[in-house]
Amino acid sequence: MYSKMYYLLKFFVLGFLVQSCFATKSFPESFMFGAGTAAFQIEGAWNEDGKGPSIWDTFFHNKNAEENGDVACDSYHKWREDVQNAKDLGLQFYRFSIAWSRILPNGTLNIVNQKGIDYYSNLIKALKAENIEPVVTLYHWDMPQHISDLGGLLNVQFVDYFEDYVRLCYNSFGSDVKYWVTFNEPTIHCFMGYGYGNGAPGFALPGDGLYQCSYVLLKSHARAYRIYDEEFRDQYQGKVGIVLESSWVDAETDDLLDLEAQERSLQFNLGWFANPIFKGNWPEVMIDRIANRSQLENLARSRLPAFTQDEIEYINGTHDFFALNTYYSNAVRYEDDEPIGTPSYSKDLSVGSSINRNFSDNQAFRKLLNYVNDRYNPGSILITENGKGTSDGLEDTDRIEYLKLYLGNLLDAILEDNINVIGYSLWSLMDNFEWGTYETRFGIIRVDYDSPNRTRTWKESARWYQNLIATRVLDNSTIIINN
Ligand code: BGC
């Protein structure tokens, strides 16, 4: 029989071990916690104070969609409350985007909308006053309609329009902004907007439109980066990057063919944009496969536009950090190439269907961080989006569980794999317009769309995140500590 004393001792020793083992899992001092939003998803005021229409305004208006971004979270009017919430959460940075057509209603410099500039200036100043670093996305998919009418990302002149717009932003806000990102998730934007037509501007050109989009977009990104370098970096000492999105992709088995399908899949998604920027040129596997299939389709040249050597060099190296969005993981398997027919990205890729998996039982995020670090050697990685969409409700324990698992992976990558992840931006600061629906809610703060006031209410996850930021220790609340 063990004595009561023994149990007591075990109780305290175990408790101490769990706690001290866990206490080592705290975020480094320099690690930054943030949260993000995007203009179209939160601002509303779609035609107020001189704002011009964007392609997403048109997209939903043309469809007479029941839901649109006309009011959204009304952040155009309620931004002070949003800054207050960011402050109360303890955020160290806030990632938001500028609506191009709010400051240039046509997208071009002939009309500059001072009220739009003032809106973002006030927001940035208010954040700085609370010691919250603004992380500014220049383009979160909401192109001015007029620029789209001119061909949008199918027209190489987009590069010049984008240059004019970003220079205006650097000039107007550069003294207060240390982190710029040029484009948000180009893969998804080109895919939806120019490949499969399920997002604005709605072109269904799955065999070539999406590649043309990526070509023009990469040149525009590089121009925006180089301009900062040449005209602003000395004075403002900021950093510029691009936000790339990737799920982690596993191979279904260890068979060499499945492993090849896994790599091909990652290259067609992440490598599509990361390779030109971090290594130079498109990934080989894309160049070869698309050229080969284009030839079999009797085309004179590859559907993937070729970069000149000068362009390859101009685009390569245009990054000061790797900005990564990640939400999901899946698995792929090898399959025979799809037969030649109507060309499309998915046929160019030709891998077996993916299985959506939850992260709960694997190391997907950690694997993705290792992959990014090994392949692209980026120096530093900033997680610009991660989060979970749920239905409505304030008791969002499923979101908290998701975040814990992800952040656990993230900490392992930092502490055990020595990967330099410098910060994490939770998506999203508040529920917002999820590109067609208000039902899926990504916010840690609830927005009541039925109230004209768009009342904001903290969910459980907001309190949890507030506590995490304050303590910097992951999750002492769920580990059973025996003392
Ligand atoms: C986008 C966000 C979106 C989020 C959740 C990301 O792809 O950047 O705008 O709300 O995913 O779906």
Side-chain angles (χ1 to χ4, degrees):
M1 283 287 281
Y2 293 110
S3 71
K4 203 174 164 197
M5 195 58 200
Y6 170 83
Y7 279 115
L8 258 179
L9 204 65
K10 191 178 157 204
F11 190 74
F12 282 114
V13 169
L14 252 180
F16 174 76
L17 279 178
V18 172
Q19 198 174 35
S20 54
C21 157
F22 202 76
T24 60
K25 291 211 168 187
S26 54
F27 285 88
E29 271 307 302
S30 57
F31 188 86
M32 303 181 295
F33 287 101
T37 58
F40 179 72
Q41 295 179 272
I42 64 159
E43 283 179 8
W46 77 279
N47 60 356
E48 261 180 68
D49 285 349
K51 178 181 171 291
S54 82
I55 52 176
W56 284 93
D57 295 320
T58 310
F59 189 73
F60 291 115
H61 292 163
N62 283 353
K63 285 208 268 189
N64 282 323
E66 250 172 56
E67 297 183 319
N68 56 41
D70 291 4
V71 181
C73 309
D74 200 20
S75 283
Y76 184 69
H77 298 110
K78 293 178 66 79
W79 61 272
R80 285 185 189 81
E81 191 178 332
D82 297 336
V83 173
Q84 185 63 44
N85 273 325
K87 179 190 170 197
D88 293 345
L89 282 163
L91 298 189
Q92 292 162 291
F93 70 96
Y94 175 48
R95 174 179 176 235
F96 64 92
S97 78
I98 294 177
W100 183 346
S101 67
R102 195 175 290 290
I103 64 173
L104 296 175
N106 289 323
T108 50
L109 286 176
N110 57 332
I111 306 170
V112 178
N113 183 27
Q114 191 54 44
K115 285 192 174 163
I117 300 213
D118 292 346
Y119 171 67
Y120 295 109
S121 279
N122 291 336
L123 173 62
I124 290 168
K125 298 254 180 260
L127 290 167
K128 296 291 274 191
E130 302 297 353
N131 274 324
I132 302 169
E133 204 57 50
V135 173
V136 180
T137 312
L138 287 158
Y139 183 92
H140 200 118
W141 306 349
D142 51 349
M143 185 186 306
Q145 183 57 47
H146 181 67
I147 300 293
S148 184
D149 293 343
L150 295 170
L153 281 159
L154 300 179
N155 174 3
V156 280
Q157 226 181 326
F158 180 94
V159 182
D160 297 332
Y161 304 132
F162 193 63
E163 166 179 342
D164 297 343
Y165 160 62
V166 302
R167 184 180 285 106
L168 177 65
C169 291
Y170 293 155
N171 267 317
S172 308
F173 316 117
S175 57
D176 285 324
V177 176
K178 296 299 163 225
Y179 290 91
W180 294 97
V181 288
T182 55
F183 288 88
N184 178 68
E185 299 188 352
T187 324
I188 310 272
H189 186 45
C190 291
F191 211 82
M192 289 177 30
Y194 295 92
Y196 291 86
N198 52 340
F203 289 103
L205 302 166
D208 43 21
L210 78 182
Y211 295 131
Q212 175 69 10
C213 168
S214 62
Y215 171 77
V216 176
L217 193 149
L218 278 161
K219 285 156 77 85
S220 311
H221 158 77
R223 179 79 69 84
Y225 181 92
R226 300 283 178 209
I227 283 172
Y228 191 83
D229 245 8
E230 287 154 20
E231 302 172 26
F232 298 92
R233 192 182 290 280
D234 280 354
Q235 195 184 349
Y236 294 142
Q237 300 290 318
K239 293 183 192 303
V240 183
I242 184 169
V243 172
L244 302 184
E245 175 275 340
S246 186
S247 298
W248 173 245
V249 179
D250 267 317
E252 277 190 14
T253 73
D254 284 343
D255 189 291
L256 281 182
L257 286 174
D258 282 351
L259 291 171
E260 188 275 320
Q262 172 195 27
E263 177 62 13
R264 193 193 318 160
S265 201
L266 283 161
Q267 286 303 309
F268 261 76
N269 184 33
L270 183 60
W272 183 8
F273 290 89
N275 217 78
I277 294 170
F278 288 86
K279 293 171 98 90
N281 210 357
W282 309 112
E284 279 298 320
V285 67
M286 288 187 79
I287 297 177
D288 294 348
R289 288 182 65 88
I290 301 167
N292 187 31
R293 290 183 71 93
S294 301
Q295 200 182 14
L296 294 170
E297 290 151 4
N298 295 321
L299 288 164
R301 48 183 62 81
S302 175
R303 288 180 277 103
L304 182 68
F307 289 119
T308 64
Q309 192 53 39
D310 280 353
E311 287 171 337
I312 291 172
E313 281 158 27
Y314 187 76
I315 295 168
N316 190 12
T318 53
H319 57 87
D320 297 325
F321 54 94
F322 198 117
L324 180 68
N325 289 0
T326 186
Y327 287 87
Y328 311 103
S329 74
N330 55 54
V332 294
R333 63 175 175 279
Y334 178 87
E335 265 175 15
D336 290 340
D337 283 356
E338 294 212 34
I340 296 299
T342 316
S344 75
Y345 168 96
S346 63
K347 288 183 188 163
D348 293 337
L349 170 59
S350 276
V351 295
S353 64
S354 318
I355 307 162
N356 269 328
R357 283 192 191 156
N358 202 326
F359 286 109
S360 51
D361 55 1
N362 66 29
Q363 294 274 297
F365 282 112
R366 185 173 174 185
K367 289 188 209 164
L368 178 63
L369 287 167
N370 275 277
Y371 184 89
V372 167
N373 204 51
D374 294 348
R375 281 309 133 100
Y376 304 113
N377 189 23
S380 56
I381 301 174
L382 177 65
I383 303 301
T384 30
E385 277 181 40
N386 170 251
K388 185 175 170 68
T390 61
S391 52
D392 196 9
L394 295 175
E395 282 160 25
D396 54 344
T397 40
D398 43 352
R399 174 172 291 106
I400 299 174
E401 290 310 311
Y402 173 97
L403 295 172
K404 275 180 201 161
L405 288 161
Y406 176 58
L407 286 162
N409 268 229
L410 183 64
L411 263 182
D412 288 344
I414 296 175
L415 301 175
E416 289 171 38
D417 308 332
N418 287 317
I419 298 179
N420 186 25
V421 187
I422 57 172
Y424 173 85
S425 181
L426 198 159
W427 186 270
S428 172
L429 176 64
M430 66 192 118
D431 292 339
N432 56 57
F433 188 38
E434 182 53 30
W435 308 106
T437 178
Y438 283 99
E439 253 171 56
T440 310
R441 293 168 177 260
F442 275 87
I444 55 173
I445 294 177
R446 178 177 190 265
V447 175
D448 178 3
Y449 300 114
D450 292 330
S451 83
N453 190 33
R454 296 296 190 269
T455 310
R456 277 94 160 120
T457 311
W458 283 31
K459 302 182 190 178
E460 259 184 42
S461 57
R463 297 187 200 292
W464 177 85
Y465 197 46
Q466 180 191 43
N467 180 60
L468 174 71
I469 298 172
T471 61
R472 306 183 79 79
V473 177
L474 187 64
D475 235 352
N476 38 20
S477 58
T478 51
I479 295 268
I480 301 140
I481 296 173
N482 288 318
N483 60 12

